[in-house]
Amino acid sequence: MSALVLGLLAGAVTGLALGALGGGGSVLAVPALIYLLGFTPAAAATASLVIVAVTSVTALGTHAREGTVRWRAGALFAAAGLVPAAVGGAVSGRLPPGVLTGAFAVIAAVAALRMLRPSAAVRNDDVPVRPVRVVQAGAGLGAVTGVLGVGGGFLAVPALVNVVGLRMRAAVGTSLLVITVNSLVALAARAGSGAPVDWTAVAPFTAAAVLGAWDGKRLAAKVSGGTLQRVFAYVLLAVALFMLGDAVA
């Protein structure tokens, strides 16, 4: 099967998951780029940042029109992740492939387990919002985005709910702003690494992901959100275990 067809199929599945779940679906991009399109872990992380940035900007526009983006809170959260995202983006290309693959597998497993526990994103109003925790959460998300090339929606949404104090719907919309900023900063940090993006593979992947996200939204309207999330979580957990086995082999 040609790289173009594989890129379109992988992008469509990634976009479908992203659109159906509202966040976290883009974590499929890295393993798809590595195992289907033959990217190295470092190149996959860079390419994934392009895919994440484009799909996040597209979705951000929709949420902005619906009034679910809290621009000030999102800007403050994103600002805390600027330096970690830049440093992570610069360091990622220098890490051994096995380390990148193993680290990604761990993060993917955490994402899967969090999706199996949706209560993790329920805010306790008795817990005060502490600026230090906001900075820590924003910096941690920026580092993860920079090093591994994932958007981190599965981490951003619970943090925006429990740490910043946003309601779930606003947290999903605001997380797209944070993810977009972190992805662009990490990409800028990688610009001088000398590792070019393979646009012949990334462009169709990204286009298919954007289109697939619209189908994902329609799917979410027909199937229970809890069912979709559980199915995706089990698939992601299987991918994480496969990648972890590959990293230690």
Side-chain angles (χ1 to χ4, degrees):
M1 192 177 294
S2 69
L4 175 61
V5 174
L6 284 174
L8 289 172
L9 290 175
V13 173
T14 298
L16 188 69
L18 182 63
L21 300 172
S26 60
V27 76
L28 284 176
V30 171
L33 290 166
I34 293 174
Y35 296 107
L36 294 181
L37 298 178
F39 281 53
T40 66
T46 301
S48 177
L49 287 171
V50 175
I51 296 163
V52 167
V54 173
T55 53
S56 295
V57 166
T58 303
L60 178 61
T62 301
H63 280 268
R65 288 191 294 272
E66 294 175 353
T68 57
V69 180
R70 301 296 178 263
W71 297 98
R72 184 177 179 182
L76 291 173
F77 193 90
L82 291 179
V83 173
V87 173
V91 168
S92 179
R94 297 176 173 82
L95 294 176
V99 172
L100 280 176
T101 302
F104 183 89
V106 171
I107 291 296
V110 169
L113 294 175
R114 184 174 289 280
M115 289 176 183
L116 291 172
R117 298 176 59 202
S119 60
V122 177
R123 175 170 170 73
N124 183 350
D125 291 326
D126 294 331
V127 179
V129 176
R130 295 185 175 89
V132 174
R133 291 188 63 202
V134 174
V135 171
Q136 290 174 338
L141 181 65
V144 169
T145 301
V147 174
L148 301 180
V150 296
F154 59 91
L155 297 174
V157 172
L160 288 167
V161 170
N162 292 304
V163 178
V164 180
L166 301 184
R167 296 299 177 186
M168 176 60 93
R169 186 168 174 77
V172 171
T174 306
S175 73
L176 293 167
L177 171 62
V178 176
I179 291 166
T180 300
V181 171
N182 285 342
S183 300
L184 292 175
V185 169
L187 270 174
R190 291 165 184 258
S193 66
V197 175
D198 183 1
W199 292 107
T200 59
V202 173
F205 192 116
T206 305
V210 171
L211 294 175
W214 291 103
D215 289 330
K217 288 181 180 179
R218 288 194 288 269
L219 179 64
K222 299 177 180 179
V223 182
S224 164
T227 300
L228 284 172
Q229 188 158 301
R230 283 192 299 274
V231 170
F232 178 78
Y234 287 124
V235 171
L236 185 58
L237 188 59
V239 170
L241 293 174
F242 175 81
M243 293 184 73
L244 189 60
D246 184 46
V248 301

